[in-house]
Amino acid sequence: MNPDYAGLAAGLLPEAALVAGALAVLGVDLAWLRRSAPARRLRTAASIGACAVLVAIGCSLRIGAVGEVFGGVLALDPLAVATRVGVLVLTLLVLGVSLGGRVARPPAEYVVVVLFATCGFLLMAAAQQLLVAFLALELASLSLYILAGFDASRPEAAEAAVKYFLFGAMAAAFLLFGFSLLYGLTGSIELAQISVALVHAPASPLLSAALVMVLVAFGFKVAAAPFHLWAPDAYQGAPAPSAALIASGSKLAGFVLFTRLLWPGLGALAGGFTWAGGGPGWIPIAAILCALSLLIGNFAALVQTDLRRLLAYSAIAHSGALLLGVIASGSSGPAPLFYYAATYGLATVGAFGVIAVIEPMAGGAKITDLAGLSRRSPFLAGCLLVYILSLAGVPPLAGFVGKFVVFAAALKMGGLAGPIGWLAVLAIALSAVALYYYLIVLKQALVAAPAPGASGRIRVPLATAFALAAAAALILLLGLFPSLLLGRF
Amino acid sequence: MSLLPWTFLLSLLGAGAALAAGRHSAAAARRVALGTVLASWAVVVAAAFRFTPAPRLQTLVDLAWIPALGVRFHLAVDGISLTLLMLTGIAATAGVLFSWNIEERTGEFFAFYLTLIAGVYGVFLSADAFLFFVFYELAIVPKYFLIAIWGSTNREYGAMKLVLYSFAGSALVLAGLLWAYAAGGGHGFGFEDLAAAAAGFTRGQQIGMFALVFFGFAVLAGLFPFHTWAPTGHVAAPTAASMLLAGVVMKLGAYGCLRVAMPLFPAGLDFWQPLVAWLAVIGIVYAGLVALVQDDCKFVIGYSSVSHMGFVMLGLAAANLRSVAGAVLQMFSHGVIAGLLFAVVGRMVYDRTHTRKLAELRLLPLARLLPFAAVVFVLAGLASMGLPGFSGFPAELSILIGAWQAAPLWAAVAALGVLVAAAFTLRVVVATFFGPATPGGEAAPLPAPLPPITWPERAGALLLLGATVVVGLKPDLLLNWIVPSLHSPLLQAALKGGTP
């Protein structure tokens, strides 16, 4: 391999912009703002961070889909570019949301860690090599553990961070073990070469072990059942912007990474259902994770009283639908999966943004704390309506189109008669169940009267209002014109 | 003809405007809402004058929308959809008039209301199954808020039940449509594309797809035994929402059956026809009998709606030209008459007496207190019973004759339903307005005078009454639109002849 450092540097400009931005945030904060009020420090840090993210978006778009970088270590294909831009937009919204609630301390460091996590997501979007993939994933994960436990004043945050860290570390161990087996069996850490080697590789128990390890790790990272146990606690305890990042950007990048790993890399081992004529492979395992996530996520969400936990279980259910998208992307390409993950991220960031604003006033995030939101802040109520209905999959919002394209892809793959078709039908049926708990949320926000003693108007900081409005507008825009995203692949 | 897309565009714009106006004052929101529904109705009327019946869907707009899926923004109209657009215009206008007394969160009320109307207009204009589905769902969600915020009896339960039933039904529809789309190779969602693809399906596939799509829509049409959302929903809903629910939203389901399920999967229709027809017949008689013993007059009307929608479903199931033409006419007729009945009971009577219990209303000499309401209710009752001179008569007659041609037993049992309808209608009319049931009994003393009937109520009632009488006296006005449309190749695939 002839190292092309100039190409690598050009390809990694967005990441460089983020790191430079992070250093600038630290420098400015250290030099001038040590004695300022935390709110002001956060505002300054978030503004610099947002500029860095905007620069990174510009770089990503300008570089475009140039193909392989540095001899195939990274691939900047349309999916990678779209994922980079998607993750960066989500980060921008998270930064806006972070200004809306309780001020994180120390504020500058919070923004820096968010930027580092985003840097990890960007690398995940393009990684083509097991080692790079692992490093990117760990850069993102370690940053997210810190973000989850950032609020040192609340014991729940510590609990969330520890739980998230322990589960995540275990997942990393599984992943590394799986990767090492793959390397041992194929002699390569490049996805392209692995896939070639696997076509001729004889079925072996070690290969099965490697597959299971990778999928278990995948399940942990994206909170698919039965590896979802960390998610409700992490979503509940983490600061709202951190939870928003865990649920949005991290999910989008994670699903893209694993789709790359599973289809182009391990596509030869996709397999199928033995009674339906396929050999053993990872699709049956993914299908089981998918069905369990859909069932556990939707049914557990029905009984939640805490909005954050409800969103966590809804996230698990959405992971199920996304897994269906991963399976289906073998035949329909990654466009449906990307569309679903990106628009889901928008809605989730928005929902956590609303939580971030109302939480300091209500002292918690019970669903009943939303009561009377439409009187206290029509703007927040309107935004929440858009996010929640999009999560529920109601047209003309983006959530509906996402479900539609994923299910259509799944049905195209196997017809209604195959197991993949059944999964799609299960997911469609459960979307009617899901509407119930989403409507419970909206009932509090739009129908119920404000609780006595909590009827004052809610002020939303300008940056947060802008982020929330942008998320709602994007959801509507992408729902009405899905080709803006779907047409890019 | 290219005016018609403005119906839902205006409604959507009006929804936003009403929301904004509502922040200023309730009266402004009302005026905006009335202006919006009148304007979109005027669009329909103008289009109706320029409409030439033809045996096909006449395209209004056809743009590429989501090329990746083959989805087109395709709006088209034929006589059937024009009939239902006209109904929507009338029912929407009357609904606004009968919600003139909404004082709480008026702007939001009309915003949800007009969004629902926009969805309904959109469904009747769609010629692409994806677009159809989008509008269909747009009409479902606002109902939850209309009922849960402004409703009465057990409103949160009724609203949730209604929306979950509707959504579950639409999930079935979605599954069926996606199946057909995927099995056809994923070329497009246009009705013509899907029908062309469906021609290549096996009989088993068609049977399965028809079941999913038809019964999915039938949930919203109130087909027995999927009807249980309807009475509780109607009772919980505020007057205008009940009117819309019975008036147009249930028609969305029936229209979906006719426009999507039947023409696309004729082999499925063939297989399921007896079951659907019997369910419809059972629904007619069963809901009628249940209506006979209700004590809440809104429940009576709610069940009567289910019974009358049974006629629509029977007409569709009999699947000949006469019965289906009758079914479409019945959709119009029931939309107007049910709206009227709900308006009298929910707005004119309940908002003044604060009771809907027949036992309590019986004690009030309402015929003397509210003579206008009494006259309207008697006329609406006569129309609901299917007396000649009102729109229900040609509709139900045509359905029964068509059903007789298909299977005499269906018509015979369904005719029983007409008798039951007469019984429960007379019962509720007498009990509500004409005091003590014993002949020659002492009339109760006059209590304090009730607030007089206001002008919006009069206007709304006259509008609906006028519609049912005009169509009752000259059903050809609508049949001249409907019948040619039934000769379109798509619908002919589903129909088995018979002359109108």
Side-chain angles (χ1 to χ4, degrees):
Chain A
M1 193 175 81
N2 187 17
D4 170 21
Y5 290 106
L8 182 64
L12 290 182
L13 267 181
E15 285 84 349
L18 288 181
V19 174
L23 294 177
V25 169
L26 282 181
V28 169
D29 192 63
L30 186 63
W32 290 291
L33 295 170
R34 275 287 130 178
R35 290 171 205 289
S36 307
R40 175 146 181 250
R41 287 169 67 189
L42 185 62
R43 270 201 306 277
T44 316
S47 318
I48 301 174
C51 291
V53 171
L54 284 172
V55 170
I57 292 178
C59 291
S60 308
L61 289 173
R62 223 172 68 87
I63 298 165
V66 292
E68 290 195 344
V69 174
F70 205 61
V73 172
L74 300 173
L76 289 179
D77 52 5
L79 177 62
V81 176
T83 311
R84 278 176 155 191
V85 175
V87 165
L88 287 166
V89 169
L90 290 171
T91 303
L92 204 55
L93 296 176
V94 167
L95 285 176
V97 164
S98 73
L99 294 171
R102 214 177 265 120
V103 175
R105 284 174 199 232
E109 282 79 349
Y110 188 81
V111 172
V112 168
V113 182
V114 167
L115 293 178
F116 283 155
T118 309
C119 193
F121 300 153
L122 295 194
L123 286 171
M124 282 161 76
Q128 285 291 314
Q129 203 197 41
L130 296 184
L131 268 182
V132 175
F134 185 78
L135 287 176
L137 193 61
E138 283 312 291
L139 173 57
S141 298
L142 285 170
S143 312
L144 291 178
Y145 305 146
I146 300 172
L147 289 177
F150 215 84
D151 192 349
S153 62
R154 289 163 60 228
E156 305 97 294
E159 185 199 343
V162 169
K163 239 179 194 165
Y164 187 26
F165 172 69
L166 288 180
F167 275 104
M170 201 143 64
F174 271 106
L175 191 63
L176 206 52
F177 198 23
F179 280 179
S180 66
L181 285 177
L182 278 177
Y183 173 63
L185 290 165
T186 60
S188 172
I189 53 170
E190 312 258 341
L191 285 186
Q193 292 175 24
I194 290 176
S195 70
V196 174
L198 284 179
V199 173
H200 306 292
S204 78
L206 279 182
L207 204 51
S208 314
L211 275 184
V212 171
M213 299 267 174
V214 169
L215 276 165
V216 167
F218 183 21
F220 273 119
K221 290 286 179 194
V222 301
F227 311 113
H228 62 281
L229 294 167
W230 60 269
D233 294 313
Y235 281 40
Q236 190 180 17
S242 310
L245 196 64
I246 294 172
S248 61
S250 155
K251 252 193 173 156
L252 173 57
F255 268 101
V256 168
L257 173 68
F258 278 98
T259 308
R260 278 189 198 286
L261 189 63
L262 291 175
W263 275 114
L266 308 178
L269 300 178
F273 291 83
T274 34
W275 76 89
W282 57 262
I283 285 190
I285 311 176
I288 292 169
L289 295 187
C290 164
L292 281 177
S293 305
L294 284 168
L295 288 167
I296 292 178
N298 278 314
F299 284 112
L302 289 176
V303 296
Q304 300 305 319
T305 53
D306 187 286
L307 185 54
R308 284 161 166 257
R309 290 186 86 83
L310 185 141
L311 285 174
Y313 282 106
S314 119
I316 294 163
H318 281 281
S319 277
L322 281 161
L323 276 167
L324 192 58
V326 170
I327 297 172
S329 59
S331 63
S332 305
L337 175 80
F338 174 78
Y339 183 91
Y340 193 124
T343 53
Y344 165 76
L346 287 173
T348 315
V349 171
F352 273 105
V354 174
I355 291 178
V357 176
I358 63 165
E359 213 169 30
M361 282 169 240
K366 294 263 171 260
I367 298 176
T368 43
D369 290 334
L370 289 173
L373 189 62
S374 63
R375 320 269 177 93
R376 304 181 63 196
S377 169
F379 168 75
L380 281 183
C383 288
L384 191 68
L385 180 74
V386 172
Y387 308 141
I388 297 285
L389 288 182
S390 179
L391 289 176
V394 172
L397 302 171
F400 165 72
V401 184
K403 286 198 165 140
F404 194 92
V405 289
V406 165
F407 298 160
L411 280 171
K412 262 193 213 167
M413 191 172 186
L416 200 61
I420 307 302
W422 299 341
L423 279 180
V425 171
L426 177 71
I428 294 173
L430 287 174
S431 66
V433 175
L435 186 67
Y436 175 78
Y437 56 80
Y438 291 125
L439 280 182
I440 294 285
V441 175
L442 291 181
K443 184 178 100 181
Q444 288 298 333
L446 287 133
V447 178
S455 53
R457 287 190 73 83
I458 298 175
R459 260 198 71 250
V460 187
L462 194 63
T464 308
F466 187 73
L468 293 179
L474 275 175
I475 289 171
L476 191 60
L477 183 76
L478 292 174
L480 289 176
F481 303 101
S483 295
L484 291 177
L485 280 188
L486 290 174
R488 302 210 165 267
F489 291 90
Chain B
M1 288 308 298
S2 55
L3 277 175
L4 277 172
W6 282 103
T7 48
F8 69 82
L9 289 176
L10 278 174
S11 303
L12 280 180
L13 291 176
L19 191 61
R23 305 187 69 134
H24 179 61
S25 76
R30 275 179 213 129
R31 279 197 294 273
V32 168
L34 186 61
T36 307
V37 289
L38 281 176
S40 38
W41 185 27
V43 168
V44 177
V45 172
F49 274 110
R50 289 203 251 161
F51 178 73
T52 18
R56 61 183 148 68
L57 277 169
Q58 302 174 29
T59 295
L60 306 167
V61 181
D62 189 7
L63 303 168
W65 185 17
I66 315 175
L69 295 175
V71 170
R72 303 188 66 76
F73 187 83
H74 187 179
L75 301 178
V77 69
D78 67 358
I80 300 170
S81 33
L82 192 61
T83 305
L84 294 169
L85 289 170
M86 189 62 87
L87 167 67
T88 310
I90 294 171
T93 307
V96 171
L97 289 171
F98 281 110
S99 10
W100 214 251
N101 61 335
I102 300 259
E103 296 291 348
E104 188 197 358
R105 300 167 78 178
T106 315
E108 289 168 69
F109 177 86
F110 284 115
F112 283 122
Y113 181 95
L114 292 172
T115 310
L116 196 167
I117 295 293
V120 173
Y121 274 128
V123 166
F124 292 141
L125 284 171
S126 300
D128 183 284
F130 183 92
L131 187 61
F132 186 103
F133 193 81
V134 168
F135 281 124
Y136 186 79
E137 299 252 311
L138 192 62
I140 288 179
V141 173
K143 286 189 300 185
Y144 177 80
F145 297 104
L146 283 176
I147 298 175
I149 300 180
W150 293 275
S152 53
T153 324
N154 221 350
R155 59 191 181 184
E156 284 172 9
Y157 168 76
M160 188 61 93
K161 183 171 175 184
L162 181 151
V163 171
L164 288 185
Y165 264 74
S166 315
F167 207 72
S170 67
L172 291 181
V173 172
L174 182 63
L177 287 177
L178 275 174
W179 184 11
Y181 169 75
H187 294 305
F189 280 95
F191 290 150
E192 313 232 323
D193 304 332
L194 281 177
F201 294 164
T202 63
R203 183 159 177 275
Q205 279 177 320
Q206 283 219 13
I207 289 173
M209 291 169 192
F210 180 87
L212 286 172
V213 176
F214 189 92
F215 290 109
F217 280 127
V219 171
L220 202 56
L223 180 68
F224 178 87
F226 312 115
H227 66 281
T228 61
W229 63 268
T232 47
H234 282 133
V235 171
T239 303
S242 313
M243 292 172 65
L244 282 191
L245 211 54
V248 289
V249 173
M250 288 177 91
K251 274 74 199 170
L252 295 182
Y255 181 76
C257 292
L258 174 62
R259 179 66 81 201
V260 184
M262 290 170 55
L264 296 191
F265 315 115
L269 174 64
D270 211 42
F271 178 83
W272 291 102
Q273 185 181 26
L275 178 69
V276 174
W278 276 116
L279 288 179
V281 170
I282 292 172
I284 294 172
V285 178
Y286 167 80
L289 290 175
V290 175
L292 207 47
V293 295
Q294 294 301 313
D295 186 40
D296 181 325
C297 51
K298 246 185 165 182
F299 263 117
V300 176
I301 301 170
Y303 277 106
S304 89
S305 272
V306 175
S307 179
H308 283 123
M309 285 305 290
F311 276 100
V312 174
M313 298 311 281
L314 177 63
L316 296 182
N320 55 47
L321 210 52
R322 192 186 285 274
S323 75
V324 174
V328 178
L329 199 57
Q330 170 79 346
M331 287 191 217
F332 182 91
S333 162
H334 174 250
V336 173
I337 296 170
L340 201 51
L341 290 170
F342 275 118
V344 174
V345 165
R347 172 73 179 93
M348 295 186 186
V349 174
Y350 179 70
D351 284 350
R352 291 181 173 79
T353 64
H354 302 289
T355 179
R356 294 189 309 252
K357 295 267 174 248
L358 291 181
E360 293 170 21
L361 289 172
R362 209 185 282 276
L363 302 175
L364 293 171
L366 276 187
R368 277 185 287 155
L369 290 174
L370 299 170
F372 181 81
V375 171
V376 172
F377 202 52
V378 168
L379 290 176
L382 295 178
S384 180
M385 283 188 265
L387 255 65
F390 298 100
S391 55
F393 175 71
E396 290 185 4
L397 190 66
S398 175
I399 292 171
L400 286 176
I401 295 175
W404 183 274
Q405 287 167 351
L409 196 56
W410 296 345
V413 182
L416 264 180
V418 180
L419 290 181
V420 180
F424 69 68
T425 312
L426 285 175
R427 174 172 168 266
V428 74
V429 169
V430 170
T432 311
F433 281 97
F434 296 96
T438 46
E442 237 358 67
L446 280 179
L450 300 173
I453 302 285
T454 57
W455 72 263
E457 291 171 81
R458 281 175 203 274
L462 291 177
L463 171 65
L464 293 173
L465 264 182
T468 179
V469 170
V470 167
V471 173
L473 294 179
K474 193 157 171 48
D476 281 352
L477 280 179
L478 296 179
L479 285 175
N480 283 344
W481 293 345
I482 298 168
V483 173
S485 311
L486 293 176
H487 285 100
S488 76
L490 268 183
L491 283 167
Q492 278 299 311
L495 305 186
K496 296 184 194 63
T499 46

